[in-house]
Amino acid sequence: MKKILVLNSGSSSIKFKLFDMDRGEKVLCSGLIERIGEKEARFKLKFGDKKLEKSIDIKDHAHGLSVLQEEMKRENILKSFQELGGVGHRVVHGGEYFDKAVLIDDSVLEKIEELSPLAPLHNPVNLLGIKAIFKQHPNIPQVAVFDTAFHQTIDKKTFMYALPYEYYEKEKIRRYGFHGTSHHFVMQKAAEVLQKDTNKINLITLHLGNGDSATAVKEGKSIDTSMGFTPLEGLVMGTRCGDLDPAIVFYLSKKLGLNIEELDKILNKKSGLKGICGDNDMREIEKRASQGDEKAKLALEVFCYRIKKYIGAYTVTIGKVDAIVFTGGIGENSSLVREMVCIGLEDSIGAKLDTEKNQKNELIISKNDSKIKILVIPTDEEFEIANQTYNEVANR
Ligand code: ADP
């Protein structure tokens, strides 16, 4: 019973990955069901060196999971879901209830549901996957792994917004932080690389992908993070603005007559890198910048400057930083972004980038005598979910 299925359920999609935790955490298969509920859903499965892709009608998430089970059986990956040791679900919002992964029972289901107003696009659809498995296989243990859980160690002075207190008490408005599964995963990997106990490690972890966030880790715990009440705050992202003077929203509303929905769309979907230069794919932005495109160069500069500002703030907050960790699609691959972020850090905080190692995407990209190490660690959120699920099931 060491096989763990990881599910990430979206509104019309289910991403899945099956791990065998007994065999060196081997990935048995992975894939995606897209366009659930539409005329022709797409089913994509990868196993070994084989790929399978087909269009089938899938009416809802429960149906999608039945199809997944059948396909796994047909391809001799798994006889039935009954072979699973557990199912781990990515759940976006755990609010103040959950500071770690949790075995799902009725009361956990209720709480995830209760938190839905805080993550209306995510928690309700995350629940669809959980409920579908419960219905078909009530005896399989299921575990919820929350994006917010790792950041529940952030203290009150840090998570409070300076708003009327009742909004915290009644509306639950505070910093929650997201990407916690990724920050936690790279924190553990960094501890291995630096040969330190996780409870002694101090880091600034930078998850740079389509969504971007920075976390200050002290003694293995998150003590501050850049995303806030929602994943809109903090760093500049692909299409999200990150930190903003809230008065801009009132001003735009009055001046251009924009309503709340339009403003929401502008801040979440039309801002960030895309807002500044029209592109949100970093590879494209780098290409345009290298050809002298001014807006692409500016987007890169704004993106990297914001990260640098957070590094400065978190260095002071943490005290003694062991390492800065880059992860996510951009953090793992863009030597240019890493270089732009690290320029000047040698003089200010003693983090010396080795440009050659950086170019080669090495694991440790700082110079040997750098006071603060700089690391590139590929994230693996699915594995982290599988691992936490496995541990929760084993500790039942
Ligand atoms: P998500 O947050 O959706 O999981 P990823 O972590 O996959 O996204 O990151 C996507 C971002 O990574 C995109 O901006 C993409 O351009 C960027 N990226 C991927 N590979 C490279 C590369 N080789 N150089 C620069 N940027 C890259």
Side-chain angles (χ1 to χ4, degrees), residues 209-211 280-283 286 328-330 333-334:
N210 281 315
N280 58 316
D281 187 314
M282 187 51 86
R283 285 163 290 205
E286 286 188 11
I330 298 173
N333 297 297
S334 174

Side-chain angles (χ1 to χ4, degrees), residues 195-389:
Q195 298 181 328
K196 278 196 131 187
D197 284 347
T198 45
N199 60 10
K200 294 209 176 99
I201 200 153
N202 294 345
L203 303 169
I204 298 170
T205 50
L206 302 167
H207 179 108
L208 309 177
N210 281 315
D212 303 281
S213 66
T215 294
V217 175
K218 187 165 186 171
E219 293 166 357
K221 294 191 173 77
S222 170
I223 59 160
D224 200 356
T225 193
S226 59
M227 284 178 167
F229 176 63
T230 73
L232 185 57
E233 193 184 347
L235 303 181
V236 174
M237 313 186 207
T239 61
R240 289 176 236 156
C241 58
D243 294 337
L244 191 77
D245 178 347
I248 294 171
V249 178
F250 321 138
Y251 183 83
L252 283 178
S253 159
K254 282 190 196 139
K255 183 99 195 303
L256 305 179
L258 298 169
N259 64 33
I260 295 285
E261 284 72 29
E262 288 164 328
L263 286 161
D264 186 324
K265 195 166 172 196
I266 291 168
L267 268 45
N268 273 295
K269 302 239 157 57
K270 296 187 171 179
S271 298
L273 295 167
K274 193 180 182 99
I276 296 175
C277 75
D279 260 315
N280 58 316
D281 187 314
M282 187 51 86
R283 285 163 290 205
E284 196 53 34
I285 296 171
E286 286 188 11
K287 197 166 115 201
R288 281 175 51 194
S290 71
Q291 293 160 350
D293 183 307
E294 289 303 326
K295 281 192 178 156
K297 280 204 259 181
L298 180 65
L300 257 170
E301 277 166 6
V302 175
F303 181 80
C304 295
Y305 176 73
R306 183 81 54 86
I307 298 169
K308 198 188 282 259
K309 202 157 126 177
Y310 270 90
I311 292 176
Y314 288 170
T315 304
V316 175
T317 307
I318 294 168
K320 192 187 163 301
V321 178
D322 296 311
I324 296 168
V325 182
F326 285 90
T327 193
I330 298 173
E332 291 163 30
N333 297 297
S334 174
S335 55
L336 178 67
V337 165
R338 292 192 302 254
E339 187 167 342
M340 286 175 69
V341 168
C342 292
I343 287 173
L345 293 190
E346 177 171 349
D347 291 337
S348 55
I349 60 169
K352 291 191 204 173
L353 185 77
D354 184 316
T355 42
E356 230 170 83
K357 290 180 184 165
N358 183 42
Q359 286 291 338
K360 290 192 213 146
N361 278 340
E362 286 186 14
L363 175 64
I364 301 177
I365 56 167
S366 47
K367 294 222 167 101
N368 292 342
D369 63 341
S370 180
K371 249 184 14 198
I372 296 179
K373 302 274 176 257
I374 310 170
L375 310 178
V376 178
I377 300 182
T379 194
D380 192 343
E381 286 164 283
E382 288 93 358
F383 170 69
E384 178 68 18
I385 293 173
N387 198 33
Q388 291 192 22
T389 300

Side-chain angles (χ1 to χ4, degrees), residues 49-257:
D49 50 11
K50 288 196 205 145
K51 269 188 188 163
L52 187 150
E53 205 173 322
K54 54 169 109 172
S55 295
I56 4 175
D57 281 342
I58 295 180
K59 63 176 195 299
D60 54 23
H61 285 65
H63 185 196
L65 290 169
S66 304
V67 170
L68 174 61
Q69 188 177 220
E70 280 163 33
E71 293 296 334
M72 285 183 174
K73 187 175 171 192
R74 195 193 323 272
E75 301 300 340
N76 285 322
I77 300 167
L78 200 70
K79 283 194 203 88
S80 131
F81 279 180
Q82 288 304 324
E83 256 187 74
L84 295 170
V87 180
H89 295 267
R90 175 193 180 216
V91 180
V92 165
H93 221 302
E96 291 190 332
Y97 289 127
F98 302 107
D99 59 2
K100 62 192 251 327
V102 62
L103 209 59
I104 306 173
D105 58 15
D106 285 346
S107 98
V108 171
L109 274 179
E110 262 170 40
K111 289 188 174 104
I112 297 174
E113 207 137 24
E114 184 195 318
L115 293 164
S116 287
L118 297 180
L121 300 178
H122 294 104
N123 274 28
V125 292
N126 298 154
L127 279 169
L128 293 176
I130 299 172
K131 287 182 177 167
I133 297 276
F134 266 137
K135 206 164 170 199
Q136 292 165 5
H137 306 277
N139 59 332
I140 299 179
Q142 298 197 72
V143 172
V145 181
F146 302 94
D147 281 11
T148 50
F150 182 52
H151 302 302
Q152 275 298 299
T153 42
I154 294 176
D155 71 13
K156 200 162 179 178
K157 71 171 183 307
T158 313
F159 72 62
M160 281 301 290
Y161 290 108
L163 291 170
Y165 194 79
E166 71 206 62
Y167 295 139
Y168 167 58
E169 276 185 314
K170 296 200 183 116
E171 310 300 334
K172 300 183 162 64
I173 291 179
R174 51 158 286 178
R175 175 180 311 284
Y176 290 101
F178 298 87
H179 282 155
T181 312
S182 174
H183 289 290
H184 185 249
F185 176 82
V186 297
M187 183 270 286
Q188 288 170 301
K189 288 280 164 199
E192 281 172 27
V193 174
L194 301 175
Q195 298 181 328
K196 278 196 131 187
D197 284 347
T198 45
N199 60 10
K200 294 209 176 99
I201 200 153
N202 294 345
L203 303 169
I204 298 170
T205 50
L206 302 167
H207 179 108
L208 309 177
N210 281 315
D212 303 281
S213 66
T215 294
V217 175
K218 187 165 186 171
E219 293 166 357
K221 294 191 173 77
S222 170
I223 59 160
D224 200 356
T225 193
S226 59
M227 284 178 167
F229 176 63
T230 73
L232 185 57
E233 193 184 347
L235 303 181
V236 174
M237 313 186 207
T239 61
R240 289 176 236 156
C241 58
D243 294 337
L244 191 77
D245 178 347
I248 294 171
V249 178
F250 321 138
Y251 183 83
L252 283 178
S253 159
K254 282 190 196 139
K255 183 99 195 303
L256 305 179

